[in-house]
Amino acid sequence: MSALVAAGVLAGLPFLMAQTNTSKAAPPPAVVERGKALFGQDCAFCHGRDAGGGETGPDLTDSELVASDVRGDKIGTVVRNGRPENGMPPFKVSSQQITELAAFLHQQGKKADTRPGGRRGVAVSDLQTGNVEAGKKYFNGAGGCSSCHSPTGDLANIARRHRGLELEKRMLYPRDARATVTVTLPSGKDMTGTLSFKDEFTVGMTDQSGWYQSWPTNQVKYTIHAPAEAHVELLGKYTDDDVHNLMAYVQTLR
Ligand code: HEC
Ligand code: HEC
């Protein structure tokens, strides 16, 4: 992180000075780009690469806190303090990095607002305009859904258990499946638990009795198993029609 901090401080000064009198001006693309890179490194694991929500973190394009943030004033507080009790870890970040992260998040929020299909999972029209047969075909074919799910197995009656937009949200951003991690200690002993934290330097887990433990990543071997990660990848792959059709199909599973 220290190289990033230094680069951010040096490269960021002109931006800060240029911004002081126009709080509403869009940040320069280079700042958004650095924010995107940082986000990809530190945040995407939980919030999704596009900030649209991931396995263990909420959609930040839809967050009121992010929407009301001005150049990092609110985002900075959350990122620096974290909300460890709710699964959001604290980060050591420079104020320049906060500015960059905020610039990226605001851009993602704007994108999601202006593209109706851009924020996956909130349009009521998705529920009505799809084609069941096309959805089924996508499920068994291009979507690769059937390699993990079965309409008569785990997804049987799914449309009875969850309806409408709630069902669509669960399909697009499944949150239930927590990632697990197996850590091999220097002694050769394996430990498995729920992945609670992971960055470049640290991997942390909560074991079955609820204890949190962490290790420096360079001292242990570890394997992360993130079963719903496929859904994060899918977000970049579906077209709007795919989502409409899948919803039409999934709603028949009742
Ligand atoms: C280990 C998973 C994880 C990582 C990594 C993570 N977050 Fe979070 N984040 C969460 C969770 C879970 C919440 C929701 C906490 C809550 O409900 O109070 C959250 C909440 C937030 C919120 C508040 C959203 C709101 O509407 O209240 C912001 C902003 C945020 N994260 C930004 C970031 C940024 C920026 C990074 C990277 C520097 C990051 N997060 C990394 C899990 C994570
Ligand atoms: C690599 C495996 C994998 C692939 C591929 C995959 N999923 Fe999932 N899916 C999961 C996991 C893991 C979960 C979360 C566990 C759960 O809730 O069942 C999940 C959750 C879901 C849920 C919510 C289930 C519930 O009970 O809340 C739906 C609906 C769903 N997926 C549909 C799809 C569709 C449609 C596709 C294809 C476009 C797809 N999945 C592709 C692994 C996968």
Side-chain angles (χ1 to χ4, degrees):
M1 187 74 95
S2 57
L4 267 165
V5 173
V9 168
L10 289 176
L13 279 173
F15 163 62
L16 276 182
M17 294 188 299
Q19 282 287 294
T20 43
N21 49 6
T22 48
S23 66
K24 286 278 177 196
V31 174
V32 176
E33 275 307 304
R34 284 198 298 273
K36 182 180 177 184
L38 261 179
F39 194 87
Q41 177 188 306
D42 286 344
C43 326
F45 175 75
C46 293
H47 291 288
R49 260 183 281 280
D50 61 355
E55 220 179 304
T56 51
D59 181 352
L60 297 178
T61 68
D62 198 18
S63 151
E64 275 173 30
L65 182 144
V66 171
S68 64
D69 172 273
V70 179
R71 261 180 288 138
D73 62 343
K74 300 207 169 61
I75 294 170
T77 311
V78 178
V79 171
R80 289 212 170 97
N81 300 329
R83 292 182 193 151
E85 67 289 358
N86 295 336
M88 166 73 197
F91 289 85
K92 279 211 179 82
V93 279
S94 68
S95 44
Q96 181 54 30
Q97 286 173 318
I98 293 289
T99 308
E100 291 164 1
L101 285 167
F104 172 67
L105 288 177
H106 289 308
Q107 192 207 45
Q108 292 303 98
K110 236 182 255 153
K111 263 195 203 163
D113 283 343
T114 50
R115 252 188 313 138
R119 181 179 296 134
R120 306 292 198 184
V122 284
V124 177
S125 61
D126 288 2
L127 306 175
Q128 286 131 18
T129 57
N131 175 297
V132 175
E133 278 311 308
K136 185 173 179 179
K137 206 169 148 208
Y138 187 80
F139 188 95
N140 291 309
C145 320
S146 56
S147 63
C148 297
H149 298 291
S150 153
T152 51
D154 67 327
L155 295 187
N157 301 332
I158 179 89
R160 246 190 258 160
R161 281 179 279 140
H162 310 289
R163 281 167 213 275
L165 292 176
E166 171 59 27
L167 173 59
E168 183 168 345
K169 246 196 199 147
R170 293 184 80 94
M171 177 178 86
L172 296 175
Y173 303 115
R175 299 265 167 77
D176 288 359
R178 304 291 298 220
T180 58
V181 59
T182 300
V183 173
T184 307
L185 304 180
S187 68
K189 187 182 170 213
D190 278 344
M191 295 192 56
T192 297
T194 307
L195 183 66
S196 307
F197 185 77
K198 164 81 182 72
D199 70 8
E200 206 179 330
F201 307 110
T202 308
V203 56
M205 73 163 69
T206 308
D207 72 13
Q208 277 167 350
S209 42
W211 287 95
Y212 176 80
Q213 305 186 60
S214 66
W215 298 267
T217 48
N218 61 3
Q219 289 175 21
V220 294
K221 285 206 185 102
Y222 59 92
T223 321
I224 292 173
H225 179 59
E229 183 66 17
H231 279 261
V232 178
E233 311 265 317
L234 279 165
L235 286 176
K237 206 176 126 186
Y238 311 112
T239 65
D240 288 353
D241 281 349
D242 293 336
V243 172
H244 297 170
N245 296 339
L246 274 172
M247 274 311 291
Y249 171 57
V250 170
Q251 288 180 103
T252 65
L253 305 178
R254 50 175 64 248

